[in-house]
Amino acid sequence: MQETKFSKFTSLLFVLPYLVVFVAFMLIPLIFGAYISFHDWDLLGSTHKFVGFGNYAKLFDPSTYFYSVFMNGLWNTIKFVIFSVPLLVVGGLLLALLVQHLPDRFKGIFRTIFFISYAISVSVIAVLWLWLLDTNSGLFNHLLAKVGAAPVQWLTSMPYAWISIVAATVWWTVGFNMIIYINALNEVPDELYEAGSVDGATPWQKFWSITLPSIRPVMVFTIVTSTIASFNIYGQPYLMTRGGPGTSTKVLLMEIVDQAFVQRQLGIASAMAIVMALIMIVISVIQFRLTRSNEGNEA
């Protein structure tokens, strides 16, 4: 009996540090942010008037300034999600399959090469890609000049600004999905592939009928996590394009930061953040439900 109590106490000690950090840096800020969203809260003001759902109403009222700001940021964020998530999910899987088919002595090297960029901070990534994409002195335009092509305004014209941000993001983070997929591929039993070979299955048939069904839960995980990460984009457009040209790459998090710390409208900024979180939750639930539905139909 005493041993059981000691075991429970030990387990609690392992969980306690995470619980403290979660409450201090996640739960309390979330509750306080929701509280602020119901107030007209000036960052430097001493009084904070309760307005109920007034801040939320402004975000969906086309006659208000905040509607255009919120919708512009939301639409730009959704565009980035649409552009980046398929590349992150499919690109990670393709890299994992490539590494899996390499000789064993090369697998570790290529895993490191593809994954090492993920360990670099977003500021370093932005500086690196700014050096590559600068209109006047960037490496890419230098190479274009070598073949007689006109320079491209990668960061100051559309659609090249989005192409640049998406390319930098995929290069930076696709290695994480690759590692997840490699672990999933290693868990697929070899007996299934052997049985497929006996039945005369082609490599494509093995991939479609054995590999994909076996790694489906991991694929759902990568889709959801990539979507959430893409919705939280901030550093790449802020450092690479400053939201330009104009506001065409100014994503929702940039608008939230601008409203909170430049316009000093913490109530509106908090309402934007809460709505953004709700949208992410809804999208994640839909993705899970669609995947479960597809699995049920196949069964």
Side-chain angles (χ1 to χ4, degrees), residues 214-277:
S214 299
I215 66 172
R216 186 185 300 277
V218 174
M219 183 169 286
V220 174
F221 172 80
T222 58
I223 292 173
V224 173
T225 54
S226 296
T227 302
I228 293 173
S230 294
F231 252 100
N232 282 286
I233 183 177
Y234 176 80
Q236 303 93 297
Y238 178 77
L239 295 170
M240 293 175 64
T241 66
R242 297 291 177 178
T247 58
S248 55
T249 61
K250 192 173 185 180
V251 294
L252 188 52
L253 272 181
M254 292 178 66
E255 298 285 11
I256 291 172
V257 172
D258 182 68
Q259 290 300 316
F261 301 109
V262 178
Q263 306 300 327
R264 304 182 313 184
Q265 299 295 318
L266 284 185
I268 287 291
S270 297
M272 287 183 178
I274 295 297
V275 173
M276 177 180 173

Side-chain angles (χ1 to χ4, degrees), residues 104-124:
D104 290 340
R105 63 181 179 274
F106 294 127
K107 288 183 179 180
I109 297 173
F110 277 87
R111 277 200 303 263
T112 303
I113 291 173
F114 292 134
F115 181 75
I116 196 170
S117 61
Y118 186 74
I120 304 174
S121 68
V122 66
S123 57
V124 176

Side-chain angles (χ1 to χ4, degrees), residues 32-199:
F32 188 57
Y35 172 78
I36 292 176
S37 71
F38 293 111
H39 293 75
D40 183 7
W41 196 296
D42 188 293
L43 182 62
L44 301 180
S46 58
T47 59
H48 311 299
K49 180 182 178 182
F50 178 77
V51 295
F53 288 95
N55 288 328
Y56 293 92
K58 291 178 182 178
L59 301 182
F60 298 99
D61 183 357
S63 64
T64 65
Y65 160 76
F66 300 109
Y67 172 85
S68 60
V69 169
F70 176 72
M71 289 301 172
N72 177 73
L74 178 61
W75 175 236
N76 287 335
T77 302
I78 290 173
K79 283 195 289 187
F80 177 76
V81 171
I82 294 172
F83 297 153
S84 63
V85 171
L87 294 175
L88 290 169
V89 174
V90 177
L93 179 57
L94 293 177
L95 287 177
L97 292 171
L98 173 63
V99 171
Q100 283 296 95
H101 287 85
L102 290 173
D104 290 340
R105 63 181 179 274
F106 294 127
K107 288 183 179 180
I109 297 173
F110 277 87
R111 277 200 303 263
T112 303
I113 291 173
F114 292 134
F115 181 75
I116 196 170
S117 61
Y118 186 74
I120 304 174
S121 68
V122 66
S123 57
V124 176
I125 294 297
V127 170
L128 174 62
W129 281 84
L130 283 171
W131 176 73
L132 293 173
L133 300 170
D134 185 83
T135 302
N136 298 317
S137 58
L139 177 62
F140 286 177
N141 279 344
H142 177 72
L143 295 176
L144 289 175
K146 288 288 187 181
V147 297
V152 176
Q153 295 181 338
W154 294 103
L155 302 174
T156 57
S157 65
M158 297 297 289
Y160 299 108
W162 272 126
I163 293 173
S164 302
I165 293 172
V166 172
T169 303
V170 172
W171 181 84
W172 177 32
T173 60
V174 72
F176 176 80
N177 285 351
M178 178 202 68
I179 294 297
I180 299 297
Y181 280 126
I182 287 176
N183 293 332
L185 292 172
N186 288 334
E187 296 298 321
V188 180
D190 292 333
E191 292 80 5
L192 296 179
Y193 294 112
E194 294 172 0
S197 298
V198 171
D199 292 337

